[in-house]
Amino acid sequence: MRQPWRVAVVGGGIAGLAAAVRLRDRAPAGTEITVYEQSGALGGKLRTGELAGQPVEFGAESFLMRDPTGAESAAVALARRLGLAEKIVHPTVGQAALVIDGGLRPIPGGTLVGVPGDLDRVATVARPAADADTDGGRPLVGPDADVSVGALVRSRFGDEVVDRLVDPMLGGVYAGRADDLSLVTTMPALARAARVEHTLTGAVRAAQAAAPRAPGAPVFGTLAGGLTTLVEAAVTASGATVRRDAAVRELAATGTGWRLTVGPTRDPELVDVDAVVLAVPARPAARLLAGPAPEVAAGVGALDYASVALVSMVLPQPRLPELSGFLVPSTEGLLIKAATFFTTKWGHLRRPDGLALVRASVGRYGEEAHLQRPDADLAATVHRELSAVLGIPLPAPVDGHVQRWGGALPQYAPGHADRLAAARTALRAAHPTVVLAGAGYDGVGIPVCVRSGETAAEEIITALGGSAR
Ligand SMILES: Cc1cc2nc3c(=O)[nH]c(=O)nc-3n(C[C@H](O)[C@H](O)[C@H](O)COP(=O)(O)OP(=O)(O)OC[C@H]3O[C@@H](n4cnc5c(N)ncnc54)[C@H](O)[C@@H]3O)c2cc1C
């Protein structure tokens, strides 16, 4: 292999940037790393903007502190690697609510993304089916099987637990329906337990026991100053050459490496590299792989995505409840899917002038038509619905922003993990120097995507014949 190595990272989201940092840390000194980002900004779904003179997240808001095994999450480890550990802050108000019959009720604690291990604890919001969760003498899920979260929970606890609890909580992450989402990919810890346990309450308790949390330990963290600081620090630490407004349109094998076609069709730039981290969503990845690996492209490109919009507004002196926000079951018939009271939830964002920042997420999978409405219309509807849910006429906003995220959240159908594993195995066998990373593959969320990018970097180093430093 020629030295120095030339590695292209396609996609400047957090997965691509985590890959670039890991390459810098573990690939041979002098490795040339270039990040190609099609838009004008790095970070992908991490985007810190500003409203009323204060940083506001227009995309992802926070990250999990721990991974499913209970160890420090990859996002925290990356922040530490980048010298940002002391900037991590936690919510001061963690309690959120559910909208049930138009009013707010606290979300019951002790569940796993809404799936209870103790049915009595969810009685305030949903009536579980009586006696359905019986021991049938065998594990809930077969050794290689996958089911939708909704199907499993409906069969064990009945419809209300799904519709009022699990669906809004999973929908808060995926903007999708529990009935469509894979247990194995969206709730891996529960899937592992369900392959052993005979009841769902037993599986939830086993999954919780497998990742014990120290009492009082924070679940979520974010960075004071905004998540864009993570993006900027990763770029600096990676020492990568960054190419913004540089869409990679084609990927062709050269025999010894890869030729990328970059930039506009009329004025393309051809770049030769030794290896490629493909840290883009599944659809652009499938387009790039269509030439060199058509079967892999077909497997990867089958993934569907949901679109959402985040409507942020700054309100003067509203009387907000002492809650971090609320989630809305789709059965409530509201446009709002979730709302976050940022200035209540995050102590570091509270303002002496009493201005409050509220952000609502709208858009569920299959309801994209609502997102065609103009910004002002979405903002007015959100304002009206917030007032109705809170039972108070909210003051008019003094500032606001609508951020649309088209095709942003993967809808992992049952069987996704197996399909992806097959696609990856085929790609590794045919082209070990191209590796997929990011939310299209391993699951959504900053920690998962950081880990995915780091793993991709290590696979590239192995494929190029280097030893991880
Ligand atoms: C609205 C919203 C809120 C979220 N909130 C949270 C949260 O609070 N906490 C959390 O942990 N997770 C959250 N997530 C999920 C999390 O943000 C994502 O899973 C993660 O950021 C995805 O990172 P990624 O690098 O895989 O992909 P992306 O962020 O999508 O980055 C991929 C990049 O590739 C670029 N690209 C695409 N095609 C090409 C091409 N051909 N050439 C060059 N570049 C290309 C894109 O422009 C993009 O910048 C949220 C997601 C959304 C949409």
Side-chain angles (χ1 to χ4, degrees):
M1 177 55 60
R2 70 178 284 288
Q3 296 282 347
W5 295 351
R6 299 157 305 177
V7 182
V9 175
V10 183
I14 196 61
L17 296 175
V21 173
R22 184 53 63 93
L23 283 164
R24 179 57 65 220
D25 288 347
R26 306 242 172 125
T31 296
E32 293 167 9
I33 306 164
T34 307
V35 175
Y36 294 91
E37 166 54 45
Q38 71 174 7
S39 74
L42 295 175
K45 272 73 182 190
L46 275 57
R47 187 179 302 179
T48 309
E50 196 183 292
L51 281 178
Q54 203 155 328
V56 177
E57 300 299 351
F58 289 158
E61 173 201 357
S62 58
F63 45 79
L64 283 167
M65 295 297 293
R66 309 244 144 235
D67 76 11
T69 67
E72 178 177 273
S73 80
V76 176
L78 179 63
R80 196 181 298 292
R81 155 70 184 87
L82 300 175
L84 294 171
E86 77 284 3
K87 300 274 185 214
I88 297 177
V89 290
H90 308 290
T92 18
V93 174
Q95 179 67 57
L98 278 163
V99 176
I100 303 289
D101 299 330
L104 292 173
R105 298 196 203 162
I107 297 181
T111 72
L112 210 59
V113 198
V115 187
D118 176 353
L119 294 173
D120 290 339
R121 291 190 67 177
V122 301
T124 49
V125 294
R127 287 157 305 179
D131 301 331
D133 193 30
T134 51
D135 184 343
R138 60 190 156 86
L140 293 176
V141 176
D144 300 315
D146 190 7
V147 292
S148 79
V149 175
L152 176 65
V153 182
R154 274 184 209 285
S155 70
R156 291 272 146 183
F157 297 157
D159 292 339
E160 265 198 11
V161 174
V162 176
D163 296 339
R164 293 184 160 195
L165 208 49
V166 182
D167 208 46
M169 289 185 80
L170 263 185
V173 180
Y174 296 96
R177 312 258 183 209
D179 289 327
D180 300 328
L181 291 167
S182 152
L183 179 72
V184 169
T185 302
T186 66
M187 300 188 69
L190 183 61
R192 276 192 295 277
R195 291 189 166 142
V196 177
E197 299 293 327
H198 295 191
T199 64
L200 189 49
T201 43
V204 171
R205 287 178 199 170
Q208 288 170 330
R213 191 157 60 89
V219 177
F220 293 102
T222 194
L223 293 173
L227 288 172
T228 289
T229 55
L230 186 72
V231 172
E232 288 163 354
V235 173
T236 305
S238 74
T241 302
V242 172
R243 299 283 312 277
R244 294 178 181 79
D245 298 312
V248 175
R249 289 190 293 102
E250 228 176 284
L251 194 60
T254 60
T256 53
W258 296 92
R259 177 158 297 164
L260 311 183
T261 305
V262 185
T265 335
R266 277 205 211 140
D267 186 19
E269 181 190 348
L270 302 179
V271 182
D272 286 340
V273 295
D274 303 307
V276 181
V277 176
L278 262 190
V280 296
R283 286 192 185 154
R287 277 196 294 275
L288 290 170
L289 290 171
E295 281 160 36
V296 177
V300 168
L303 186 61
D304 218 350
Y305 282 80
S307 298
V308 293
L310 298 182
V311 181
S312 302
M313 48 187 72
V314 179
L315 303 166
Q317 314 273 353
R319 284 182 293 113
L320 297 177
E322 197 65 2
L323 290 169
S324 60
F326 61 77
L327 297 170
V328 188
S330 57
T331 46
E332 292 290 317
L334 298 180
L335 186 65
I336 298 180
K337 178 169 63 70
T340 306
F341 306 146
F342 269 76
T343 33
T344 309
K345 177 175 180 180
W346 300 101
H348 71 287
L349 294 179
R350 286 199 183 149
R351 299 177 55 122
D353 56 13
L355 286 179
L357 173 68
V358 178
R359 193 184 84 174
S361 152
V362 305
R364 294 182 173 87
Y365 181 61
E367 295 178 7
E368 283 75 11
H370 292 298
L371 299 178
Q372 306 299 324
R373 294 155 60 172
D375 286 3
D377 186 357
L378 286 182
T381 306
V382 162
H383 189 267
R384 195 174 56 247
E385 289 187 355
L386 280 170
S387 297
V389 167
L390 297 174
I392 45 165
L394 286 174
V398 295
D399 204 353
H401 176 81
V402 175
Q403 179 70 48
R404 291 162 191 276
W405 292 104
L409 288 162
Q411 302 297 299
Y412 308 111
H416 167 82
D418 284 348
R419 276 192 295 278
L420 180 68
R424 272 202 169 127
T425 303
L427 184 59
R428 208 171 284 129
H431 301 296
T433 50
V434 176
V435 181
L436 295 161
Y441 320 100
D442 298 308
V444 303
I446 299 169
V448 172
C449 292
V450 167
R451 170 140 306 148
S452 175
E454 292 171 348
T455 305
E458 280 162 20
E459 286 184 28
I460 292 283
I461 292 166
T462 306
L464 290 177
S467 57
R469 277 192 273 154

